[in-house]
Amino acid sequence: MLRKTGCEPSFRISDEGWAEGAVRCPSTHSDERPAGSPIDLLVIHNISLPPGEFGTGCVQRFFTDRLSVDEHPTFESLRDLHVASHFLIERTGTVTQFLPCTARGWHAGISSFEGRSRCNDFSIGIEVEGTDFCPFEEAQYAALVRLARAIILRYPIRAVAGHSDIAPGRKTDPGPFFDWSRLAVPEILGCGVSFPFFKACGLTI
């Protein structure tokens, strides 16, 4: 575990799995994790609704069943979908939490990691507002590091992966503009957390 440095994380995960310091926007798109399942994987996604548009509030409404498919032509593909990640990091760095970390969120879909299928069972999902086609904001990386550190301090996280790592060929996020090296900081690497992206690219940190 990390040594206490006197600079505690700005997000603290309660016993119930809620992050103090995050905006709470509860969703029902979850269920119980299998008994005895560890919470040991962080999955990074990107999302924007409508595609390529930011700060619309549509992601929040989508994750909480309040999005009308009539709002935008592209939303027809979302009809009858019930999904939610645990967290969303907006372009401003604001962090919204939809599900307690203890719940099994419906974010990964058909997936596997290191021989284990059904990644929803043992992962926490973090959506970073963005697309595969543009850089993310400095404020988002800063918030992600603080949030990831808080989660790592609470749960036995041993790896961070992209949605594309656990659902290759089906998903591409967080995409080529996501800078994985921004997570290569002592607060995270000091816990011995691995990054499949680093290994795949032969990148040494």
Side-chain angles (χ1 to χ4, degrees):
M1 295 296 292
L2 290 174
R3 283 196 291 250
K4 303 293 184 180
T5 63
C7 182
E8 297 303 311
S10 57
F11 300 102
R12 299 174 186 270
I13 310 300
S14 71
D15 291 343
E16 294 76 25
W18 292 99
E20 300 170 11
V23 177
R24 193 178 298 191
C25 185
S27 170
T28 59
H29 298 170
S30 68
D31 54 10
E32 293 186 7
R33 297 182 189 271
S37 178
I39 302 174
D40 59 11
L41 175 67
L42 286 183
V43 178
I44 308 298
H45 306 257
N46 77 42
I47 192 170
S48 61
L49 292 176
E53 296 185 26
F54 307 134
T56 64
C58 291
V59 175
Q60 291 87 334
R61 294 199 298 279
F62 177 44
F63 284 176
T64 56
D65 272 338
R66 295 181 292 116
L67 182 70
S68 170
V69 296
D70 297 327
E71 290 185 41
H72 193 272
T74 63
F75 292 171
E76 179 60 34
S77 63
L78 305 178
R79 186 183 295 274
D80 299 325
L81 286 183
H82 302 287
V83 300
S85 281
H86 295 81
F87 297 94
L88 167 69
I89 302 178
E90 297 181 61
R91 305 294 286 186
T92 60
T94 298
V95 175
T96 299
Q97 184 171 6
F98 300 92
L99 309 168
C101 295
T102 51
R104 175 169 58 184
W106 302 341
H107 64 95
I110 300 171
S111 54
S112 65
F113 182 73
E114 296 185 343
R116 293 185 293 168
S117 61
R118 297 172 57 90
C119 291
N120 284 340
D121 290 353
F122 52 88
S123 68
I124 292 172
I126 301 176
E127 299 276 0
V128 186
E129 189 176 34
T131 74
D132 286 5
F133 310 108
C134 66
F136 296 88
E137 300 290 345
E138 176 69 28
Q140 293 179 290
Y141 288 115
L144 178 58
V145 166
R146 295 195 305 271
L147 178 61
R149 180 176 187 261
I151 294 170
I152 290 166
L153 285 170
R154 172 60 70 173
Y155 302 105
I157 302 296
R158 62 183 185 85
V160 181
H163 202 183
S164 56
D165 294 310
I166 64 173
R170 188 175 70 84
K171 293 295 182 179
T172 60
D173 56 315
F177 282 94
F178 186 80
D179 185 357
W180 285 96
S181 70
R182 299 299 300 273
L183 299 184
V185 295
E187 295 94 326
I188 295 177
L189 295 180
C191 290
V193 177
S194 68
F195 293 80
F197 179 86
F198 291 168
K199 295 178 181 178
C201 295
L203 182 64
T204 57
I205 300 297

